[in-house]
Amino acid sequence: DLSFNASARQARNIAVAIGQDGGSWASYFNQSVSLTTVKKNYSFSFTMNNNTDNNARFAIDLGGNNTGITIDDIKLNEHKISKTIALTSPVENYIWLVNKSYYINWTSNDINKINIYYKLGSQPTWVKIAGNIPASDGKYLWVVPVVPADSCIIKLEDAENSGVNIVSPVLTIMVPELEILSPLGGETF
């Protein structure tokens, strides 16, 4: 967020901008502001697309008007977006069959890559399904291994910070049942 107090000797417009470091000074924020003779607080929100930009600039364009202005109490407040992962599939009470493909789906915020694991029952060890999957993919197609279990959980974690993770509700992994349709008994072939 950007805020400041400003006034002018006579009503006039100025342009306020925050730009990205570099030769082109790409704009994160550019706003025309109408100043009056009464000091007023102006406040704006913007997003810096390049969160590694440590040299962004704050600029005021007076637009060729030489009427005096007063600006004070300029504040630039950072609001970091916290890293999050939300699992959207599987959800509670899913039953997945061995050797079948199922999507593990998620949404994430401020995460580059994701690692995916599963754990059966009370086993203490996580088994890696896949690593360094682009978080922006939002899904991964998993072929369920032949490991039938009444209790399986899946974990997604930030590949750069394992402390940012989410664990699925319990799901069941089953071997498909075979239904015998014929013979039903007593038939002769």
Side-chain angles (χ1 to χ4, degrees):
D1 293 339
L2 167 68
S3 66
F4 56 89
N5 297 323
S7 63
R9 283 194 208 130
Q10 63 184 32
R12 62 160 300 160
N13 290 333
I14 62 170
V16 178
I18 304 232
Q20 180 182 12
D21 186 17
S24 65
W25 288 101
S27 180
Y28 291 127
F29 168 80
N30 194 337
Q31 179 73 43
S32 178
V33 177
S34 297
L35 299 180
T36 66
T37 57
V38 176
K39 185 186 255 187
K40 187 174 153 187
N41 180 265
Y42 298 89
S43 182
F44 307 96
S45 293
F46 64 95
T47 301
M48 289 181 71
N49 298 326
N50 180 357
N51 61 6
T52 62
D53 185 355
N54 294 318
N55 299 307
R57 70 175 178 177
F58 170 62
I60 299 171
D61 184 350
L62 302 177
N65 184 330
N66 62 2
T67 301
I69 65 169
T70 300
I71 296 179
D72 63 19
D73 200 21
I74 299 170
K75 293 178 184 169
L76 189 58
N77 296 312
E78 179 179 20
H79 297 282
K80 286 200 175 233
I81 299 171
S82 60
K83 294 182 173 215
T84 59
I85 305 171
L87 188 68
T88 57
S89 175
V91 293
E92 202 164 358
N93 298 322
Y94 265 34
I95 296 174
W96 284 1
L97 302 176
V98 300
N99 287 326
K100 297 284 184 181
S101 299
Y102 298 92
Y103 277 106
I104 298 168
N105 298 296
W106 66 86
T107 59
S108 63
N109 189 34
D110 201 31
I111 294 176
N112 295 319
K113 297 193 182 271
I114 287 181
N115 294 332
I116 306 172
Y117 302 89
Y118 76 92
K119 183 165 72 164
L120 301 176
S122 60
Q123 290 182 347
T125 312
W126 289 98
V127 178
K128 188 178 262 189
I129 295 171
N132 290 317
I133 304 299
S136 59
D137 287 358
K139 65 183 176 181
Y140 180 81
L141 187 61
W142 183 38
V143 177
V144 178
V146 181
V147 288
D150 289 337
S151 174
C152 174
I153 54 178
I154 293 173
K155 177 172 78 169
L156 305 179
E157 73 178 18
D158 180 348
E160 297 167 1
N161 179 356
S162 63
V164 178
N165 63 68
I166 185 85
V167 176
S168 75
V170 174
L171 61 110
T172 302
I173 296 178
M174 293 179 58
V175 174
E177 293 182 15
L178 180 62
E179 182 181 354
I180 299 176
L181 301 175
S182 178
L184 296 174
E187 291 92 348
T188 305
F189 295 92

